[in-house]
Amino acid sequence: MACSLLASPALSQAPSDADLQALRFYLSEDNQQAVNSELRRLQLQYPDWVVPEDLGQMEQGVPGERIDSIYRQIEARDFDAARATIDEISRTYPSWSPSSELLETLASSEAQENFNTAVDAGNAEVAIRIARGNPALLRCERVNNAWLLAEQYQATGDVASAYGVYLGIARSCTDPDILVATLEKSAAISSLDQLAEVAEQARGQAPGSAERLSAVESRLRAGILAQDPDAVTTTATGNGTPPPEGAEWPEGISPKVSLRPLSRGETPAPPARAASGGSGTGGGSAAPAASSRSTAAAQRGDWAGCLAASASARDAATVAQRGWCALNADRPMQALSDFNDAANRGGSAAARRDARYGQAITMLQLDMVDQASAIAAATPFTAEQRLEVESLILDKRGVAAYDRGDYARAIAYFDELERITGVVRRDLAMLRGYAYLNSGKKERAKAEFQRLHDQMATTASRRALSDALQ
């Protein structure tokens, strides 16, 4: 009888906010099966509770002023506080998740601030790394960043990559003023052949300003010839001939890749990251016949066409395919949404695994390292997928550790990256050398810098050796 009396008040109560957290989460995930199961559980626990006809009422709204406060923190460049506020709201309102616009604003604002700081400090290698890891900084509406990136490459002695950036602007932007300024800036490092190539690409982007661009080209050609009457075919590659069409350029910059470099610098992007699994290829099984147009567009690298053809797709395989197209089109927030959707739509275990792989890759591009690591820990990736994800995690964690002054941990991350992949990128090896130096291990730093200098002598390697010898 005592037990019955104690149970009665609970049975007559309605579920609390804490009781409804799971239901709200399943509603936000659009997981109908889980929603139905949770509703049955709640009705058994609270028999007098009446389920609302409109389940949308169950979702708890976040006050607008809380969201506004995040944007104010971002505007004030208090990025840690903005992330803390996002975490706090997520705990208070479990069914809420930050919008793609909010996350993209946070990521791009923080990257811009870090890039500006590196440029102002004259730390060219850090500035290059930040720009290469954040393609949104290099879009035409932020062309000053691209110009600054070219200057950072010049500061390190990497003239070929600087020229690649200028050529990329000429192939990507349409504003005549931007194209004229880019043509003028490129003249400082270009041969006549290279200047002609930049001018030709610029005219193709802004045919209405072709006459103006040609006049600028003629003036710049005259200036180059005045300084060096024999300047005809000398190029920034230093071998006396223009680079062949399609040749790889240093640090992953190529004339075809243009203004939006990859997050990892060794190799250019594949023609299409279609749904076939494996590193750099996306995830899942072949798309159904109804999505053949999106598949064909992806295979020829037509990301916009792929997105348009799959806009109304609902099956998991095509949604995952759309995620890879969005990622290649520099729309990582849309890609993340598509991969989340594909992973939750079910299908085969391999399809879910490959969608999770897409999630992890996209999160790493957005610097959501902890979230990507959690997915990697919970997903049975293929060996190739795991190597790709874990190497990117080590890459980013090593850089973050270095930037916060935790040099021992940075060295450990870079060493582990080298162990599992067999190589470590030149910029990361340079950071490892400075981590040794800042840790008081001068001999280790000297050996690292000497190895890099012997491989390819640059201004940066000479400066690093000088620092280690002091």
Side-chain angles (χ1 to χ4, degrees):
M1 180 177 176
C3 291
S4 176
L5 288 172
L6 288 172
S8 296
L11 291 175
S12 64
Q13 292 174 358
S16 66
D17 279 344
D19 294 322
L20 294 171
Q21 283 185 0
L23 177 60
R24 287 172 174 148
F25 173 76
Y26 296 140
L27 285 168
S28 69
E29 293 288 299
D30 196 23
N31 188 336
Q32 193 58 49
Q33 183 177 354
V35 167
N36 293 337
S37 297
E38 184 64 14
L39 284 172
R40 284 194 297 271
R41 186 189 71 79
L42 290 170
Q43 287 176 309
L44 288 173
Q45 186 172 355
Y46 302 99
D48 294 337
W49 177 56
V50 178
V51 180
E53 291 184 10
D54 181 7
L55 288 177
Q57 297 175 3
M58 302 297 302
E59 297 197 48
Q60 213 172 8
V62 179
E65 59 269 19
R66 299 298 305 277
I67 306 300
D68 291 342
S69 70
I70 300 173
Y71 281 101
R72 287 195 296 272
Q73 289 165 333
I74 294 173
E75 187 175 355
R77 299 185 179 88
D78 195 347
F79 306 114
D80 289 337
R83 277 190 288 269
T85 302
I86 290 173
D87 290 342
E88 178 190 345
I89 294 175
S90 297
R91 288 192 298 270
T92 305
Y93 303 91
S95 64
W96 176 82
S97 60
S99 68
S100 59
E101 178 192 6
L102 175 56
L103 290 176
E104 193 164 2
T105 299
L106 174 59
S108 61
S109 297
E110 186 170 23
Q112 183 69 68
E113 179 70 11
N114 293 338
F115 179 73
N116 292 343
T117 300
V119 170
D120 292 343
N123 198 335
E125 290 183 346
V126 172
I128 290 168
R129 188 176 69 248
I130 292 170
R132 284 174 48 201
N134 297 274
L137 294 184
L138 301 176
R139 291 178 177 146
C140 294
E141 61 267 27
R142 297 187 180 191
V143 70
N144 191 59
N145 290 334
W147 289 333
L148 288 171
L149 174 60
E151 291 175 8
Q152 305 314 299
Y153 276 124
Q154 289 175 247
T156 64
D158 191 351
V159 181
S161 290
Y163 171 73
V165 172
Y166 289 132
L167 188 60
I169 298 172
R171 286 178 164 169
S172 304
C173 302
T174 57
D175 186 318
D177 292 333
I178 289 176
L179 295 170
V180 166
T182 300
L183 186 58
E184 292 176 334
K185 290 176 182 293
S186 71
I189 61 168
S190 296
S191 68
L192 294 179
D193 289 341
Q194 291 172 322
L195 184 69
E197 174 66 7
V198 174
E200 184 63 26
Q201 295 298 324
R203 283 189 288 268
Q205 291 293 97
S209 299
E211 187 175 343
R212 177 187 175 192
L213 288 162
S214 295
V216 173
E217 180 191 6
S218 297
R219 170 169 56 81
L220 295 172
R221 286 175 63 87
I224 293 174
L225 287 170
Q227 293 180 6
D228 182 4
D230 297 325
V232 178
T233 59
T234 303
T235 70
T237 61
N239 62 9
T241 58
E245 183 69 18
E248 286 193 17
W249 286 59
E251 300 297 334
I253 300 292
S254 89
K256 287 183 180 290
V257 174
S258 78
L259 199 52
R260 294 175 180 177
L262 303 171
S263 57
R264 301 184 71 195
E266 302 90 353
T267 56
R273 301 184 81 161
S276 58
S279 174
T281 57
S285 57
S291 64
S292 58
R293 285 189 296 115
S294 64
T295 301
Q299 289 173 346
R300 63 176 181 268
D302 179 7
W303 313 126
C306 171
L307 292 172
S310 58
S312 59
R314 292 294 179 266
D315 63 284
T318 309
V319 172
Q321 170 73 82
R322 186 172 64 206
W324 291 112
C325 291
L327 188 60
N328 279 284
D330 289 336
R331 297 168 66 174
M333 295 312 305
Q334 179 182 339
L336 185 57
S337 176
D338 285 335
F339 288 131
N340 291 345
D341 192 4
N344 291 329
R345 285 182 182 272
S348 67
R352 291 194 299 273
R353 175 201 66 205
D354 292 339
R356 295 296 183 196
Y357 168 68
Q359 283 181 295
I361 291 294
T362 307
M363 286 174 172
L364 287 166
Q365 184 165 324
L366 292 167
D367 285 331
M368 299 166 65
V369 181
D370 291 340
Q371 295 90 329
S373 181
I375 286 178
T379 306
F381 288 140
T382 67
E384 187 180 3
Q385 289 172 341
R386 184 160 299 282
L387 179 62
E388 175 73 5
V389 171
E390 290 186 355
S391 62
L392 285 170
I393 289 172
L394 289 168
D395 181 326
K396 287 185 173 289
R397 284 186 168 166
V399 171
Y402 182 90
D403 287 343
R404 66 175 180 266
D406 189 351
Y407 301 120
R409 195 175 296 262
I411 292 168
Y413 282 132
F414 295 145
D415 285 348
E416 179 63 11
L417 175 61
E418 187 171 29
R419 186 190 71 80
I420 68 171
T421 65
V423 295
V424 63
R425 266 198 341 263
R426 183 179 176 87
D427 59 329
L428 298 183
M430 189 71 75
L431 276 188
R432 183 168 62 182
Y434 275 108
Y436 282 132
L437 189 60
N438 292 329
S439 302
K441 301 177 180 179
K442 280 196 170 184
E443 289 304 314
R444 296 291 299 273
K446 178 184 174 184
E448 186 84 323
F449 294 145
Q450 187 67 58
R451 179 178 65 83
L452 294 170
H453 188 69
D454 290 343
Q455 289 175 351
M456 183 175 69
T458 65
T459 302
S461 66
R462 283 190 287 271
R463 184 172 64 242
L465 270 175
S466 175
D467 292 339
L469 291 170
Q470 288 180 359

